[in-house]
Amino acid sequence: MMEPLERQRPDQYRTVVKRPSDFDAFWDDLLSQAALIPLNPSVERVSLRSTPEVDVYLVHYDSLGGVRIAGWYCLPHERSGKLPAIVYMPGYVGEPSIPRENARNGYATFGFIHRGKLRSNGQFNPGYPGLLTHNIVDRQTYSYRGIYIDAARAIDFLLSCDDVDHTRIGVTGGSQGGGLTITTAALRPEVRAAVAAAPFPCGFMDAVALGNTYPYQEIRDYLHLYPERRTAVEQTLAYFDGINFAPRVTCPIIVHIGLQDNVCPAETGFTAFQAISSEHKQIYPYEGHGHDAGRVELRETVDAFFRTHLQA
Amino acid sequence: MPHRSRPQDFDDYWRRVRRELDETAIASEQEHVPIRSTEFCDCYLVRFTSIGPYRLFGYLSIPHGDGPFPAILAGPRYRSVVELLFQGEANEKRSRFVMFSTAGRGQRHADEPFAAEYPGLVTEGIDSPESYIYRGIVADWARAADYLLARPEVDRGRVTAVSRDSLPIVAAALRPELTHVVAQPGSFFQVTDKASGELDDYLRMFPDKRDLVERTLSYFDPLHFAPAVRARTLLWGDPATLGPLSGSIAGETDIQPTDPSQYKEGVFEECWLSEQLGFAEPILPRCWQR
């Protein structure tokens, strides 16, 4: 069993993550490949989930490898003109919810569902546990290669919508949704504001050493069975680590973490935040909180942040 | 928490479910999973049969060493994914407890022929108690308990049903061999806020079905199961709201208010479980050990 690292102040932690010299080239090339794939969006109103205040649509679009991606698109029933939009990024194991609440507040909202999750798993379905280590020794086929592009193309979906103001798009999410918030803000300059809670995956190998819980435990399990593959695993993960995407994030961003996070160690959230390039970044570390990252306490701040950057 | 009236044929309804379980061979099979096994436990994929008949799935962890061991049953939850261990729990808990995490009908690995939708599961067949999907899911909980209780590695004096909904209460009523319960009754028969949203959607679309829905749900109100629950019980939620339920449970019951901090909730629950199951110290995630 790997020995845990000695704990220190999480804001002073020094990550083991190294940024590959061709990191930007790798992702710019993938974005170029993805741009050649027609989006082929379909939008179907779902009467059962629509309310007098909010129209709900089940959306599908094409992504890398021809994988069909789903999502929940919500619009205020009473609307006029172009709307600001927020993409809600999903967690690792939970079910993506239908983001009706902020549609009631005047946003176009999109609850994105990446490949491998229910409704987006017809062509790609490694399962849970397993998604995190699927093809983990090959960056050209690793599961998150497609997932990050799926998320980036959620922005393309919003850009295809007549109701959306293309200059006022935000992203948010917690846990894996927090990580996807960072990667999407990094890959898509159209993102104007972002809120990431307890971001995962950031600092894959840091978390493997610092923690003992799933989902990062999947990597620990893999390396326990295949210790000889450690170098290949580390080389792959460097291309998918949220910490390495962070320097590309230039939009206003909030990161909030729990200092007793038992899923995403606080050290990894601090490290990702410190690597973000944006001049308008703020971190909210919550003492006495775990993977909830203080979201209840921060709710009003987040609402005000999106109002400032997307509704002004 | 508003409760629904107890149907006159409540006992008959659940007696029929128990009889169906009795008449259904469990037909279990296990397959060792090297990648999820460690130096302190072995992991198995388990397949077994519930009423229908319907083939179910579970992850079973058995500690190394001489048993029997206390056991934790994490039955079907409201999500498509079944986890080997709840996200955020210390993997080393598998060195102390036999842990059985199962998928009910509709969840991954148990999604043929029925693949549940989320949202959608909570209202599947809800117009009648006979067709309601949770009739089967409750049976799946009981069947998972049957499997676990039959394992020779399990200490039958320490078997806990855990889920952040009301289903452990129902399971403990159907299977009084379960000695401990950790549950979080919420809305209706009390799954999650998402579940409540599903009901709202359904009744908005089909307002004329309200009486049918209410009748179906009355068979699943935990209050009606409570007198049959002898297990030592921890309920998460508002003490005032949970008072009637707590007072009706036959076993000794604690109520712990929910907290926005998952850390505080998690530490409390691990300490409660450890104390109840006879351990001086809980096994906590490393990030909680500072």
Side-chain angles (χ1 to χ4, degrees):
Chain A
M1 184 161 43
M2 280 172 282
E3 291 299 316
L5 296 180
E6 288 294 317
R7 305 306 297 271
Q8 52 191 286
R9 277 186 52 176
D11 58 334
Q12 294 180 354
Y13 176 78
R14 297 188 71 82
T15 180
V16 300
V17 174
K18 300 282 189 291
R19 198 168 195 262
S21 58
D22 63 342
F23 180 90
D24 288 323
F26 177 80
W27 284 104
D28 290 342
D29 179 56
L30 262 180
L31 288 171
S32 298
Q33 292 179 40
L36 299 175
I37 301 169
L39 196 63
N40 294 325
S42 66
V43 179
E44 176 189 2
R45 188 175 187 277
V46 183
S47 298
L48 179 61
R49 306 295 167 207
S50 297
T51 72
E53 299 85 24
V54 177
D55 293 321
V56 176
Y57 302 86
L58 183 58
V59 166
H60 290 88
Y61 58 83
D62 286 343
S63 185
L64 211 58
V67 174
R68 197 78 173 146
I69 302 302
W72 295 105
Y73 182 48
C74 302
L75 291 171
H77 185 69
E78 299 290 338
R79 56 186 183 270
S80 60
K82 301 282 190 182
L83 301 171
I86 300 175
V87 181
Y88 290 83
M89 298 294 180
Y92 186 68
V93 291
E95 304 305 326
S97 57
I98 303 174
R100 292 187 286 206
E101 183 177 342
N102 258 339
R104 278 194 291 271
N105 295 328
Y107 292 92
T109 61
F110 186 59
F112 156 71
I113 305 171
H114 64 69
R115 67 185 60 199
K117 278 191 173 293
L118 196 65
R119 292 191 170 83
S120 296
N121 60 1
Q123 300 143 284
F124 178 83
N125 196 13
Y128 299 83
L131 181 76
L132 194 58
T133 57
H134 179 75
N135 293 347
I136 197 169
V137 295
D138 176 16
R139 67 177 180 269
Q140 298 297 347
T141 58
Y142 181 49
S143 52
Y144 277 81
R145 174 179 179 268
I147 290 170
Y148 288 170
I149 294 297
D150 300 342
R153 285 172 74 82
I155 305 302
D156 289 319
F157 168 72
L158 290 176
L159 295 175
S160 77
C161 297
D162 292 338
D163 291 295
V164 171
D165 182 341
H166 299 175
T167 68
R168 294 188 291 160
I169 295 175
V171 294
T172 189
S175 191
Q176 180 191 259
L180 292 172
T181 293
I182 289 173
T183 62
T184 305
L187 295 175
R188 298 306 300 256
E190 297 90 344
V191 174
R192 299 304 169 89
V195 177
F200 163 99
C202 287
F204 285 99
M205 299 309 294
D206 300 310
V208 164
L210 290 165
N212 57 343
T213 64
Y214 284 98
Y216 283 121
Q217 180 66 35
E218 288 187 29
I219 299 172
R220 209 172 289 111
D221 291 345
Y222 186 91
L223 293 174
H224 180 71
L225 193 61
Y226 307 112
E228 73 282 6
R229 300 181 189 172
R230 185 179 183 93
T231 299
V233 167
E234 290 175 345
Q235 287 173 346
T236 296
L237 294 181
Y239 287 87
F240 300 90
D241 201 302
I243 290 170
N244 286 338
F245 283 88
R248 293 174 64 130
V249 176
T250 57
C251 68
I253 184 168
I254 285 175
V255 176
H256 57 111
I257 60 175
L259 293 179
Q260 285 77 32
D261 192 329
N262 53 322
V263 177
C264 300
E267 289 87 342
T268 63
F270 269 114
T271 304
F273 173 77
Q274 288 158 356
I276 289 171
S277 293
S278 172
E279 294 177 1
H280 304 284
K281 63 177 185 178
Q282 180 71 46
I283 189 165
Y284 293 87
Y286 281 90
E287 178 63 43
H289 282 264
H291 200 47
D292 58 283
R295 65 172 177 270
V296 174
E297 283 86 340
L298 199 63
R299 183 171 295 156
E300 290 183 9
T301 300
V302 169
D303 290 346
F305 174 80
F306 278 131
R307 276 198 305 273
T308 298
H309 293 288
L310 300 181
Q311 292 194 328
Chain B
M1 186 166 74
H3 290 285
R4 296 177 171 87
S5 298
R6 192 175 193 271
Q8 285 188 336
D9 64 342
F10 179 86
D11 289 335
D12 284 343
Y13 177 85
W14 289 107
R15 194 175 295 120
R16 288 197 301 277
V17 172
R18 280 195 293 264
R19 189 184 311 132
E20 284 181 53
L21 280 165
D22 291 344
E23 293 169 352
T24 303
I26 194 165
S28 63
E29 55 185 343
Q30 295 75 222
E31 176 186 344
H32 188 247
V33 189
I35 196 168
R36 307 295 169 213
S37 299
T38 74
E39 62 271 34
F40 52 76
C41 73
D42 280 303
C43 181
Y44 301 87
L45 305 183
V46 179
R47 297 193 184 275
F48 56 109
T49 300
S50 181
I51 64 171
Y54 199 100
R55 201 73 171 150
L56 302 178
F57 170 87
Y59 290 109
L60 175 71
S61 284
I62 299 177
H64 290 173
D66 296 328
F69 305 98
I72 295 177
L73 171 62
R77 303 169 74 195
Y78 179 81
R79 60 171 41 172
S80 64
V81 171
V82 56
E83 298 167 278
L84 166 65
L85 191 66
F86 290 152
Q87 181 173 287
E89 290 188 320
N91 196 41
E92 287 76 7
K93 279 182 75 175
R94 299 198 289 147
S95 69
R96 175 178 286 178
F97 303 105
V98 173
M99 304 195 75
F100 192 35
S101 179
T102 70
R105 59 196 63 207
Q107 289 182 271
R108 276 175 185 262
H109 306 297
D111 53 358
E112 293 177 3
F114 170 63
E117 294 205 349
Y118 302 86
L121 181 70
V122 168
T123 57
E124 179 75 29
I126 200 170
D127 295 349
S128 159
E130 297 302 327
S131 63
Y132 191 36
I133 191 66
Y134 272 86
R135 181 181 188 275
I137 291 173
V138 167
D140 299 344
W141 257 96
R143 180 56 16 133
D146 293 340
Y147 176 83
L148 187 60
L149 289 161
R151 295 289 314 189
E153 302 90 346
V154 169
D155 176 353
R156 290 174 61 99
R158 294 182 292 173
V159 182
T160 306
V162 179
S163 188
R164 284 303 188 95
D165 52 41
S166 65
L167 292 176
I169 299 169
V170 179
L174 294 185
R175 291 294 183 255
E177 297 90 341
L178 294 169
T179 61
H180 295 76
V181 159
V182 177
Q184 185 172 349
S187 54
F188 97 102
F189 76 92
Q190 324 297 336
V191 191
T192 67
D193 290 338
K194 285 180 183 173
S196 177
E198 283 195 33
L199 279 182
D200 291 344
D201 290 345
Y202 192 78
L203 294 175
R204 186 175 51 252
M205 182 71 108
F206 308 109
D208 53 319
K209 293 187 176 182
R210 178 172 291 276
D211 288 346
L212 294 176
V213 168
E214 289 292 332
R215 176 172 177 270
T216 296
L217 295 181
S218 69
Y219 288 85
F220 296 85
D221 192 313
L223 187 67
H224 308 325
F225 294 93
V229 176
R230 300 197 301 260
R232 184 73 170 83
T233 297
L234 170 63
L235 299 179
W236 283 101
D238 173 48
T241 306
L242 293 176
L245 175 62
S246 171
S248 299
I249 291 175
E252 186 180 352
T253 302
D254 296 322
I255 301 177
Q256 179 66 16
T258 53
D259 193 294
S261 165
Q262 291 178 350
Y263 162 65
K264 291 173 184 169
E265 285 195 350
V267 170
F268 181 90
E269 186 167 311
E270 293 296 347
C271 290
W272 189 91
L273 264 178
S274 294
E275 182 183 339
Q276 294 300 324
L277 299 180
F279 297 98
E281 296 291 334
I283 297 178
L284 297 176
R286 281 185 197 144
C287 294
W288 292 355
Q289 293 175 14
R290 286 192 273 188

